[in-house]
Amino acid sequence: MKKILLSLIFLYSISSLLIGQTQAGLQKDILISTGTSNVDLVYKVNGRDGRLYQSYIGAKLGNLLSLNQIRDAGHLAYATFGTDNLFEPAIRMTHNDGNPSLELKYVSHNVEKPNANITITHILLKDPEYPVEVTLNIKSFSAEDVIEQWVEIVQKEAKPLTIYNYASSMLHFDASKYWLTQFHGDWAEEMKMQENELTSGIKILDTKLGTRAHMYQTPVFFLSLNEKSDENNGELIAGTLGWSGNFQFLFEVDEKNSLRVISGINPFASEYTLQPGKVFKTPSFIFTYSNQGKGLASRNLHHWATSYGILDGNGPRMLLLNNWETTYFKFDEPKLNGLLDDTKKMGLDVFLLDDGWFANKYPRNDDKAGLGDWQENKTKLPDGLGYLVKEADKRGVKFGIWIEPEMVNPKSELYESHPDWILKLPNRPEHYYRNQLVLDLTNPKVQEFVYNTVDGMLTKNPGIAFIKWDCNRMMTNAYSVYLKDKQSQLYIDYVNNLYNVLDRLRQKYPHLPIMLCSGGGGRVDYGALRYFTDFWASDDTDPLERIYIQWGYSYFFPSVSVCNHITSWGKQSLKFKTDVAMMGKMGYDIPVNELTEKELKFSQDAIANYKRLSDIIWHGDLYRLASPYEGNRAVLMYVNSAKNKAVLFAYTLNARYGESFNRIRLQGLDPAKTYKIQEINVPTEGKHTGGSESGKTYSGDYLMKIGLNAGSSTALTSNVFEITE
Ligand code: GLA
């Protein structure tokens, strides 16, 4: 991509003219506008003090003259600590002479335009007394209305200095009220939504898990301004941090009811030594602004994510049969050959062999041993992975494999041979989680080991077509032998070195599909997803629970990235399970040989339907029509960009006596087009309800103003409609 460096002298002089406040002896004010198609984020350099302020964030301004009318609220764009700021700073450091303050003044800015859609603005700030430079970077994606912000800090003092706070982004809002929506959870109960009004003082969303961002809190939020927003109404931003470790979103409402939002790596126990000349680069804070509710915000993020946030987000995906819940650790070659047959029989693309295939001295027959010893187990796989790749090939399907290369069981050869490669505290007993410990990725030898584990396996077996990369624990025992007296850098160096390993692997294997897993959905963030094609959303595959979990993810992550498998969890019908899995990236983890003939036929047909419609589900526009948080049903639909094809999913969660659901108004269609409604995934046996609209034809106008009778009033039933112009 050709980078065009645009001088902003023109904007500089125009904006100075516009502001018209320049006085003799003072510098001119400078406006720096960093908008997208529908959003403006505007900064102003105040000529009187040389500092950079945030002037405006919100809907696109008709012209910059409007900014003259805005009362200057004095919102520092990147507030420092130690001079006159009395609220939470974006950055705090101690210089090597012990001075604990930082002052930042504007120096210059420039704009890069890598292509028509992307604009990157770099604003250079500097301490007038100390050789410390801070560059604010703002990357705007015009068509998607998404903005990415990150910061680079460089110091040129003679000796190292220490930074304590180093936010990726600081944003200010002036609204009458603020409503924060957050997503909390735990293992098997990810993405539970809560919404609360922010009151004076500080509210923090964060995690301190080390190896992953997500588990108890997901690194995402909605912030609604003035009033609560719903799917189609309300002003809000949707924000997320691209970082697979400790994160922090801090919301501070001050005495004037102004809100500052500070997003970045969690500064908790993470002071960082900055060596002279070294650049400290923060991860990206990614956000969109919408004045048409959460629905538009999600679609903006989905569009951004498929093009820029997820590896090959616009590309196709292969459908999996996984063996985890079918076999757990108990399998051998004949059993796996049977599962390869099943993959073919179902019409799926890849068989994914999960945990349990490796280690010999301490065989991986449960989760207590073997992790770290990545050689095929000779009893279970006497002919090695190569044999399975060939067997898959014979059947016209692909072979994929599970790994967890960042971890080790104490009962392993790796633990015995490299105790210094493992995070554990001196003078303390080892603390286990799932009987395992974390390898010290800050150590270059460990980075090499992780890289070689994956690369070695792929070099030996080039036919491996899919990987599931797991990370089954968070960091306790957080002590690195390698880091010596720099222990507080562990949380940051771990994640950056994980990214370095992934960068190397992606240079060699740019498009190999890899699913990101972390004991279920423990590592769902856009820092990691640059390297991964999809993620395992939760170990909880009960379809009723999944409706809520998937609903939660759908606010921030496109369905092409959310792996939903049909499993034995939950007592609902196979149809209900299938319909729930279909709203994302569908896969299977059931004993196919136990399906009745009718169930097998139903599944084969459903897979064929899914393959026909998956492009619309993965890359179409999502409209959430009825929320499971607000009633007894969940309804959503995807529409393709030509608006000639849509898929609607309706799930009835609970049925109260006498409750009947009204018609649901569809969205995103073309009012002038006529659509045929066709129910799909109709079971060949069992009671079926709610498909009365199948076969009918309506105008888009009718469907969007009057609506469709979608779904039934029987609990735990579902209906899927294919809607075709
Ligand atoms: C984690 C994953 C599961 C499975 C197991 C294997 O819990 O979330 O899907 O891969 O590990 O041990």
Side-chain angles (χ1 to χ4, degrees):
M1 262 179 301
K2 197 176 151 212
K3 286 185 182 171
I4 311 163
L5 208 61
L6 293 181
S7 152
L8 278 197
I9 294 168
F10 176 70
L11 178 57
Y12 177 97
S13 41
I14 291 285
S15 53
S16 308
L17 256 175
L18 292 174
I19 300 297
Q21 290 172 339
T22 313
Q23 293 168 18
L26 296 174
Q27 295 295 310
K28 291 174 181 175
D29 291 343
I30 304 169
L31 282 186
I32 304 169
S33 177
T34 65
T36 65
S37 296
N38 298 299
V39 182
D40 265 333
L41 171 58
V42 184
Y43 295 99
K44 184 167 98 181
V45 181
N46 185 320
R48 277 182 290 271
D49 64 11
R51 287 171 163 182
L52 183 74
Y53 294 88
Q54 181 195 304
S55 279
Y56 177 77
I57 182 168
K60 192 100 193 147
L61 295 165
N63 57 56
L64 290 181
L65 275 173
S66 315
L67 282 175
N68 265 339
Q69 271 110 49
I70 297 177
R71 180 177 59 90
D72 194 345
H75 295 318
L76 279 170
Y78 199 67
T80 63
F81 167 79
T83 56
D84 50 9
N85 166 35
L86 293 171
F87 293 92
E88 193 68 20
I91 183 166
R92 179 163 87 88
M93 65 174 59
T94 300
H95 300 276
N96 71 59
D97 64 358
N99 187 334
S101 68
L102 180 70
E103 173 64 83
L104 288 177
K105 303 263 176 159
Y106 169 85
V107 178
S108 62
H109 70 283
N110 63 60
V111 178
E112 261 182 76
K113 195 99 186 73
N115 61 43
N117 194 42
I118 298 176
T119 309
I120 314 173
T121 306
H122 309 277
I123 309 175
L124 177 63
L125 310 173
K126 193 180 164 309
D127 190 314
E129 305 302 331
Y130 286 86
V132 171
E133 291 175 1
V134 173
T135 305
L136 311 188
N137 304 285
I138 303 114
K139 188 170 182 180
S140 17
F141 299 83
S142 188
E144 295 81 11
D145 284 325
V146 167
I147 295 179
E148 212 181 305
Q149 293 180 298
W150 73 97
V151 169
E152 280 157 77
I153 305 166
V154 61
Q155 67 104 346
K156 295 169 183 161
E157 299 186 8
K159 294 189 215 145
L161 58 70
T162 309
I163 52 176
Y164 299 90
N165 295 64
Y166 27 76
S168 300
S169 152
M170 179 167 204
L171 293 173
H172 300 269
F173 300 89
D174 288 291
S176 57
K177 285 177 186 287
Y178 306 99
W179 296 91
L180 177 67
T181 309
Q182 65 188 86
F183 296 80
H184 72 110
D186 196 351
W187 177 79
E189 41 183 312
E190 291 85 349
M191 292 306 275
K192 293 181 166 176
M193 181 164 71
Q194 283 177 329
E195 184 168 34
N196 281 296
E197 188 180 346
L198 288 174
T199 52
S200 307
I202 288 180
K203 163 90 181 178
I204 287 177
L205 302 180
D206 77 343
T207 56
K208 304 181 177 79
L209 302 167
T211 54
R212 48 164 85 158
H214 175 186
M215 183 162 172
Y216 305 129
Q217 290 286 343
T218 314
V220 295
F221 68 86
F222 285 122
L223 174 73
S224 297
L225 306 173
N226 301 307
E227 285 168 43
K228 279 187 182 181
S229 32
D230 59 23
E231 280 298 317
N232 297 309
N233 303 291
E235 192 181 354
L236 71 144
I237 70 156
T240 180
L241 189 76
W243 181 246
S244 312
N246 302 353
F247 73 92
Q248 187 188 78
F249 300 130
L250 182 145
F251 305 84
E252 184 171 29
V253 179
D254 68 15
E255 82 292 0
K256 294 196 166 59
N257 204 45
S258 289
L259 169 70
R260 59 179 60 185
V261 181
I262 303 177
S263 307
I265 295 175
N266 194 346
F268 170 79
S270 293
E271 59 265 26
Y272 206 93
T273 307
L274 201 53
Q275 301 294 338
K278 280 264 179 306
V279 179
F280 183 92
K281 185 175 172 197
T282 73
S284 287
F285 175 65
I286 300 141
F287 75 95
T288 184
Y289 165 88
S290 156
N291 52 15
Q292 291 162 51
K294 292 173 179 160
L296 178 64
S298 297
R299 289 187 289 280
N300 288 347
L301 287 176
H302 295 171
H303 292 153
W304 172 83
T306 47
S307 295
Y308 306 103
I310 294 172
L311 188 77
D312 293 332
N314 283 316
R317 295 289 185 270
M318 294 188 289
L319 307 189
L320 309 179
L321 177 69
N322 188 197
N323 70 314
W324 175 238
E325 292 187 18
T326 317
T327 66
Y328 292 103
F329 298 92
K330 226 171 148 204
F331 52 80
D332 54 17
E333 282 178 355
K335 174 100 204 165
L336 297 180
N337 278 332
L339 294 175
L340 286 169
D341 289 336
D342 291 341
T343 310
K344 179 73 185 165
K345 187 160 72 183
M346 290 281 275
L348 297 165
D349 307 309
V350 191
F351 169 67
L352 170 65
L353 175 58
D354 215 286
D355 196 353
W357 57 268
F358 49 90
N360 287 295
K361 183 172 175 191
Y362 304 105
R364 181 76 172 166
N365 291 330
D366 54 33
D367 61 16
K368 295 189 180 64
L371 207 53
D373 301 344
W374 297 106
Q375 299 77 36
E376 292 99 325
N377 177 278
K378 294 205 168 76
T379 316
K380 290 186 214 177
L381 303 182
D383 302 305
L385 293 178
Y387 165 79
L388 292 171
V389 172
K390 275 196 211 111
E391 287 299 313
D393 198 46
K394 270 191 212 162
R395 293 160 174 86
V397 296
K398 305 269 184 208
F399 178 77
I401 190 109
W402 177 97
I403 47 166
E404 192 181 2
E406 300 157 70
M407 302 284 161
V408 62
N409 279 130
K411 236 173 135 186
S412 68
E413 291 185 78
L414 181 65
Y415 180 96
E416 288 172 349
S417 52
H418 295 290
D420 55 326
W421 285 11
I422 296 164
L423 297 180
K424 48 185 173 167
L425 288 158
N427 307 321
R428 305 262 178 230
E430 290 173 4
H431 174 253
Y432 304 124
Y433 185 92
R434 211 188 189 221
N435 314 300
Q436 64 193 58
L437 292 164
V438 183
L439 292 178
D440 180 7
L441 262 179
T442 68
N443 184 335
K445 289 187 182 146
V446 176
Q447 294 158 27
E448 207 52 29
F449 169 79
V450 173
Y451 176 83
N452 288 335
T453 298
V454 185
D455 180 50
M457 190 176 74
L458 292 172
T459 310
K460 203 166 145 207
N461 306 289
I464 290 180
F466 190 94
I467 287 181
K468 175 178 178 185
W469 181 306
D470 215 333
C471 160
N472 267 311
R473 69 159 296 171
M474 60 300 282
M475 215 184 266
T476 57
N477 312 290
Y479 183 90
S480 150
V481 174
Y482 179 79
L483 282 178
K484 297 192 184 116
D485 61 345
K486 302 267 181 315
Q487 294 302 321
S488 63
Q489 300 185 182
L490 174 57
Y491 289 129
I492 296 174
D493 288 354
Y494 184 93
V495 178
N496 278 328
N497 284 307
L498 171 67
Y499 291 160
N500 289 340
V501 171
L502 289 165
D503 267 329
R504 273 179 77 193
L505 285 168
R506 278 305 177 198
Q507 274 161 30
K508 190 156 174 197
Y509 308 98
H511 298 291
L512 178 73
I514 310 185
M515 181 203 289
L516 176 58
C517 179
S518 188
R523 223 185 217 173
V524 183
D525 69 83
Y526 283 118
L529 285 169
R530 285 174 289 167
Y531 304 102
F532 293 85
T533 41
D534 38 71
F535 63 85
W536 185 231
S538 177
D539 278 344
D540 188 340
T541 45
D542 177 312
L544 178 59
E545 295 302 322
R546 286 299 282 224
I547 288 174
Y548 292 87
I549 293 171
Q550 292 167 198
W551 197 267
Y553 282 119
S554 83
Y555 286 115
F556 300 90
F557 301 95
S559 64
V560 67
S561 62
V562 189
C563 297
N564 304 330
H565 288 186
I566 294 145
T567 75
S568 310
W569 280 51
K571 296 198 167 54
Q572 302 85 346
S573 67
L574 181 65
K575 168 170 170 60
F576 190 72
K577 293 178 178 188
T578 307
D579 291 353
V580 172
M582 239 199 203
M583 71 155 101
K585 184 185 171 241
M586 179 168 85
Y588 284 81
D589 192 350
I590 43 167
V592 173
N593 57 359
E594 291 173 19
L595 294 176
T596 64
E597 229 171 82
K598 283 185 173 162
E599 284 172 335
L600 179 65
K601 172 81 172 61
F602 169 80
S603 301
Q604 289 164 332
D605 291 348
I607 291 165
N609 286 334
Y610 184 69
K611 286 193 166 174
R612 189 176 68 253
L613 300 172
S614 55
D615 188 52
I616 300 152
I617 297 169
W618 295 339
H619 305 122
D621 281 327
L622 167 67
Y623 294 88
R624 287 174 296 253
L625 306 178
S627 166
Y629 281 90
E630 287 162 14
N632 283 330
R633 65 173 168 176
V635 186
L636 66 145
M637 64 187 286
Y638 299 91
V639 186
N640 70 356
S641 56
K643 294 182 187 292
N644 59 15
K645 196 97 186 168
V647 189
L648 182 138
F649 297 89
Y651 310 100
T652 304
L653 313 176
N654 197 2
R656 303 291 309 279
Y657 177 76
E659 179 171 16
S660 59
F661 299 119
N662 291 330
R663 284 168 188 277
I664 190 115
R665 288 180 183 158
L666 310 198
Q667 290 176 34
L669 300 174
D670 181 343
K673 286 186 163 53
T674 303
Y675 295 93
K676 172 130 197 231
I677 311 293
Q678 189 64 51
E679 189 182 14
I680 58 167
N681 291 1
V682 180
T684 42
E685 65 177 344
K687 198 167 159 229
H688 176 60
T689 49
S692 62
E693 299 277 29
S694 192
K696 295 189 180 152
T697 300
Y698 297 107
S699 70
D701 193 47
Y702 177 97
L703 290 168
M704 294 195 289
K705 290 189 178 142
I706 298 170
L708 191 74
N709 279 312
S712 82
S713 50
T714 308
L716 301 175
T717 60
S718 53
N719 300 84
V720 184
F721 296 98
E722 182 173 348
I723 300 170
T724 313
E725 186 192 1

